[in-house]
Amino acid sequence: MEMKNAQWPALAPLFHYYVVRYQRGIIATNGALPLDATTLNPLGVEGICRLDTHDMPFAEEGSRTRPSDAATADARTHRIGRSGTGYNYQPIRTPSRAMGIRAALLANYPVVIGFALPDGYPDAFVDSKFAWTDPTDPAPGRGGHCVVIIGFSDARSAFHIHDSQGADRFDHGRWWMGYQVADSDVVSAAVALT
């Protein structure tokens, strides 16, 4: 959401995770959150707070930590917008997911994707150029993850990913996902923030 609203500060992803999983009770049988209306609509209702009001470690304990009243109040100031009867996001359901994502980025819409974590994530799944280009290497590992796509390079045949793992990971918090990976079953969903 902060990619869509450049004036916003860094937001707290584990605030949203807490709201969806523990307050709303939305969770898949494997422990993952689906990337659909059930998890996106709370961004328009509860919103998401600034990272500095709910800065929790990316671990089970951090995910279970209840946000403070101040964080909850702050979240209401950072909500996804509405358009008509719905919120401002659109699932990408084109025959080539990569081309649908590319079209959304060309229209200046950041794209959120959900994908199966590869073995070695986050420490050893990208190559020396911070790229993951083969959906079968490394093989899918445990769980899933969501990231935001902030750009693309046709020369690299890849999307530029901003990951929530922090600026000390990858290339200042960013890595590349090949178009081939985006079009594979590794990616479960893609949503443009419109």
Side-chain angles (χ1 to χ4, degrees), residues 64-137:
R64 288 192 313 253
T65 303
R66 185 180 191 279
S68 68
D69 291 342
T72 300
D74 181 65
R76 290 197 246 0
T77 67
H78 304 102
R79 293 188 276 196
I80 197 168
R82 289 187 71 93
S83 177
T85 59
Y87 293 100
N88 292 344
Y89 63 83
Q90 182 65 45
I92 295 174
R93 295 188 179 111
T94 53
S96 166
R97 186 182 300 115
M99 291 303 101
I101 292 168
R102 193 177 173 284
L105 293 169
L106 284 170
N108 291 319
Y109 299 138
V111 175
V112 176
I113 61 166
F115 65 99
L117 287 172
D119 278 339
Y121 178 90
D123 298 315
F125 79 105
V126 292
D127 64 21
S128 63
K129 295 180 182 177
F130 302 101
W132 178 28
T133 57
D134 182 348
T136 64
D137 184 28

Side-chain angles (χ1 to χ4, degrees), residues 16-179:
H16 177 69
Y17 186 86
Y18 182 89
V19 167
V20 174
R21 181 173 183 181
Y22 296 106
Q23 289 181 345
R24 291 192 172 214
I26 301 165
I27 191 164
T29 56
N30 66 356
L33 299 177
L35 182 57
D36 60 19
T38 61
T39 56
L40 291 169
N41 286 350
L43 292 172
V45 179
E46 287 91 354
I48 186 167
C49 68
R50 294 184 329 265
L51 180 59
D52 63 0
T53 64
H54 191 70
D55 192 2
M56 294 296 120
F58 280 88
E60 186 62 31
E61 181 181 327
S63 74
R64 288 192 313 253
T65 303
R66 185 180 191 279
S68 68
D69 291 342
T72 300
D74 181 65
R76 290 197 246 0
T77 67
H78 304 102
R79 293 188 276 196
I80 197 168
R82 289 187 71 93
S83 177
T85 59
Y87 293 100
N88 292 344
Y89 63 83
Q90 182 65 45
I92 295 174
R93 295 188 179 111
T94 53
S96 166
R97 186 182 300 115
M99 291 303 101
I101 292 168
R102 193 177 173 284
L105 293 169
L106 284 170
N108 291 319
Y109 299 138
V111 175
V112 176
I113 61 166
F115 65 99
L117 287 172
D119 278 339
Y121 178 90
D123 298 315
F125 79 105
V126 292
D127 64 21
S128 63
K129 295 180 182 177
F130 302 101
W132 178 28
T133 57
D134 182 348
T136 64
D137 184 28
R142 53 161 177 68
H145 188 45
C146 283
V147 294
V148 65
I149 299 177
I150 57 171
F152 67 91
S153 167
D154 286 337
R156 291 180 78 144
S157 295
F159 294 110
H160 206 194
I161 304 293
H162 182 82
D163 201 302
S164 59
Q165 290 290 325
D168 59 331
R169 295 267 190 189
F170 317 117
D171 182 17
H172 304 287
R174 296 177 177 180
W175 51 275
W176 294 88
M177 176 185 280
Y179 293 165

